[in-house]
Amino acid sequence: MSQSLKTVKGMRDLLPEVARKFRHIETVATDLSQLYGFEEIQTPILEPTALFLRTLGDTSDIVTKEMYRFTDHGGDDLVLRPEGTAGVARAFINEGLAQHLPLKLFYHGPMFRRERPQRGRYRQFFQFGVEILGVEKPQADIEVIACGYRILKSLGVLGTVTLHLNTIGDSASRNAFKEKLVAYLSDKKDQLSKESVERLEKNPLRILDSKDAGDKAVLTGAPKLKDSLTEEAQLFFNNVVEGLGILEIPYVIDERLVRGLDYYGHTVFEFTTTALGAQSAILAGGRYDGLISDLGGPKTSGVGWAFGVDRIVELLPELPVAKKPIAIIPMGPEAETMALKLAEDLRSNGLSIELGFSGNLAKRMKRADKLGASHAVILGSDEIAKQVAMVKFLKLGTQEEVPIRDLVARLSHSSTKEPS
Ligand code: HAM
């Protein structure tokens, strides 16, 4: 294949077996988030570059190196969205949704980040996310976490998963902490990784989640964020923790968890798995009370999360087999015409029908078998002359002549219940 027709690096085709799992995950997540009162929002995949420059942070990995950014033919500076929260905030402002607060929204779709591809990390990946806008109270944090927990539980993926929880406080808490952290780390620069030395000036909080062994060693003696929390911030977090306790949602407090996007304050959380190597975060989020006002909108609280569908697919247990089809096998032109009509009648009754048109009878039967068909309905000239069809019950290995006029009723009944 010529170079230009290969799949773009880090992007992939989702073939039917995987696409079926994606669909299942999105269906379960959609149904459950609707139980929690979330409604769907769809925002464009292309957004103005300024949206992400103003929300994710100048020093975030996404902004510094991962955006698919380009200028279109009209000269507009655009980005393929790397995440969904900023787009929801923009829609909230543009569409004048402030009068409808509080709002509970869910979304799903492709996101794009030019990261180094590896297992569980793609350059086009899919997120499902929820956001609650306009609720200042910790009850909203508890509710979104409970919703995420329930989705993961329903999908059967909690086995290897832990909820990591932290608070990064309000801005007063963070400013006080940053000062102490910078003071502590400044005379240990020589022991820090190059990346952390850079962050010391630009975004010292992010040093806390460094994976570098040297950084980790230095951080063991560092001041703790929890000791700089204002009283309000501590109280807010206590309420979140208490709510999770009441709902019996297990968590661990992870003082190093700060998240890689700048818009967070107060609660941050990540559900991580031990089953996916380095790409351990499967669902992550937090509170972002400053995001909408930073974009020029009215001061509005927000809290939410997004999960990576591509990662959850890897953890998903085998799905139950899809409904088995019925194979209709017409032999000869007259039967073919009849089969088209019969197939439509059966489909109107909710049955899944496969029409086998090519090859000899043996080949068509083989294909029916491969599709896992429950029945094969053979229509040949002998059968048509007698106004019957030969129905083979493939699992039982039995067969039965059924009058054509009774076929719909007989198959509708026996596709749920085979004769014993
Ligand atoms: P995030 O942590 O950047 O947060 O991404 C959320 C989830 O998306 C991750 O935990 C992971 O499962 C998945 N993900 C991220 N990057 C990739 C990738 N390259 N390949 C596969 N999966 C990936 C956000 O995006 C926030 N907008 C979440 C949020 C919503 N916060 C508040 N509301």
Side-chain angles (χ1 to χ4, degrees), residues 36 149 154 157 218 272 289 319 340-341:
Y36 281 77
Y149 178 75
S154 293
V157 301
V218 179
T272 63
D289 291 346
L319 292 181
L340 282 176
K341 173 79 175 66

Side-chain angles (χ1 to χ4, degrees), residues 118-194:
Q118 53 178 256
R119 183 177 176 208
R121 187 160 76 192
Y122 303 96
R123 290 180 171 183
Q124 173 175 306
F125 59 99
F126 292 79
Q127 279 188 348
F128 182 101
V130 303
E131 316 287 355
I132 298 186
L133 302 180
V135 182
E136 285 169 22
K137 292 184 168 179
Q139 278 73 10
D141 309 47
I142 300 163
E143 195 176 38
V144 290
I145 295 175
C147 176
Y149 178 75
R150 187 183 284 238
I151 291 172
L152 298 178
K153 191 169 179 185
S154 293
L155 289 169
V157 301
L158 275 180
T160 58
V161 170
T162 307
L163 165 59
H164 293 255
L165 184 69
N166 194 20
T167 176
I168 54 170
D170 44 25
S171 43
S173 318
R174 283 195 300 283
N175 289 339
F177 173 65
K178 274 180 206 164
E179 229 171 81
K180 289 189 209 159
L181 184 68
V182 171
Y184 170 83
L185 292 176
S186 289
D187 38 296
K188 298 184 177 57
K189 270 190 192 162
D190 50 333
Q191 299 164 51
L192 289 175
S193 65
K194 194 170 148 263

Side-chain angles (χ1 to χ4, degrees), residues 10 56 62 66 82-86 107 111-132 259-261 263-264 269-271 279-288 291 302-312:
L56 305 185
I62 295 181
E66 294 169 1
E83 59 101 57
T85 311
Y107 54 87
M111 308 289 162
F112 302 83
R113 297 183 193 175
R114 200 177 181 288
E115 296 186 78
R116 199 165 49 76
Q118 53 178 256
R119 183 177 176 208
R121 187 160 76 192
Y122 303 96
R123 290 180 171 183
Q124 173 175 306
F125 59 99
F126 292 79
Q127 279 188 348
F128 182 101
V130 303
E131 316 287 355
I132 298 186
R259 309 271 299 128
L261 308 170
Y263 51 62
Y264 294 111
F269 54 89
E270 274 183 10
F271 286 83
Q279 303 317 309
S280 60
I282 56 166
L283 182 154
R287 180 163 274 276
Y288 50 88
L291 174 62
V303 58
W305 49 252
F307 70 69
V309 184
D310 304 74
R311 292 189 186 168
I312 291 188

Side-chain angles (χ1 to χ4, degrees), residues 291-308:
L291 174 62
I292 291 176
S293 49
D294 284 351
L295 284 174
K299 187 162 172 20
T300 312
S301 320
V303 58
W305 49 252
F307 70 69

Side-chain angles (χ1 to χ4, degrees), residues 137-365:
K137 292 184 168 179
Q139 278 73 10
D141 309 47
I142 300 163
E143 195 176 38
V144 290
I145 295 175
C147 176
Y149 178 75
R150 187 183 284 238
I151 291 172
L152 298 178
K153 191 169 179 185
S154 293
L155 289 169
V157 301
L158 275 180
T160 58
V161 170
T162 307
L163 165 59
H164 293 255
L165 184 69
N166 194 20
T167 176
I168 54 170
D170 44 25
S171 43
S173 318
R174 283 195 300 283
N175 289 339
F177 173 65
K178 274 180 206 164
E179 229 171 81
K180 289 189 209 159
L181 184 68
V182 171
Y184 170 83
L185 292 176
S186 289
D187 38 296
K188 298 184 177 57
K189 270 190 192 162
D190 50 333
Q191 299 164 51
L192 289 175
S193 65
K194 194 170 148 263
E195 205 173 18
S196 291
V197 173
E198 276 167 25
R199 283 182 169 158
L200 196 56
E201 276 179 23
K202 295 181 186 156
N203 192 351
L205 221 56
R206 289 269 345 256
I207 298 177
L208 293 192
D209 75 353
S210 166
K211 307 276 181 286
D212 180 87
D215 290 347
K216 281 186 176 171
V218 179
L219 285 169
T220 48
K224 304 252 182 237
L225 209 162
K226 67 174 183 199
D227 297 327
S228 296
L229 291 178
T230 59
E231 209 175 304
E232 294 96 298
Q234 184 64 61
L235 191 65
F236 190 95
F237 191 55
N238 292 351
N239 283 328
V240 174
V241 166
E242 195 186 326
L244 295 181
I246 290 168
L247 297 181
E248 295 180 20
I249 296 174
Y251 60 86
V252 296
I253 302 283
D254 181 347
E255 289 173 7
R256 293 260 176 95
L257 181 65
V258 292
R259 309 271 299 128
L261 308 170
D262 264 12
Y263 51 62
Y264 294 111
H266 288 288
T267 320
V268 287
F269 54 89
E270 274 183 10
F271 286 83
T272 63
T273 174
T274 47
L276 279 180
Q279 303 317 309
S280 60
I282 56 166
L283 182 154
R287 180 163 274 276
Y288 50 88
D289 291 346
L291 174 62
I292 291 176
S293 49
D294 284 351
L295 284 174
K299 187 162 172 20
T300 312
S301 320
V303 58
W305 49 252
F307 70 69
V309 184
D310 304 74
R311 292 189 186 168
I312 291 188
V313 156
E314 299 264 339
L315 305 179
L316 205 65
E318 272 313 302
L319 292 181
V321 272
K323 215 169 159 195
K324 293 190 168 195
I326 292 172
I328 301 185
I329 303 178
M331 305 301 292
E334 198 187 345
E336 281 177 7
T337 311
M338 197 178 243
L340 282 176
K341 173 79 175 66
L342 178 64
E344 285 304 295
D345 289 347
L346 289 167
R347 287 172 183 142
S348 313
N349 273 25
L351 297 172
S352 156
I353 305 299
E354 274 290 325
L355 276 171
F357 280 121
S358 56
N360 58 23
L361 183 62
K363 200 164 163 205
R364 294 191 206 186
M365 286 301 292

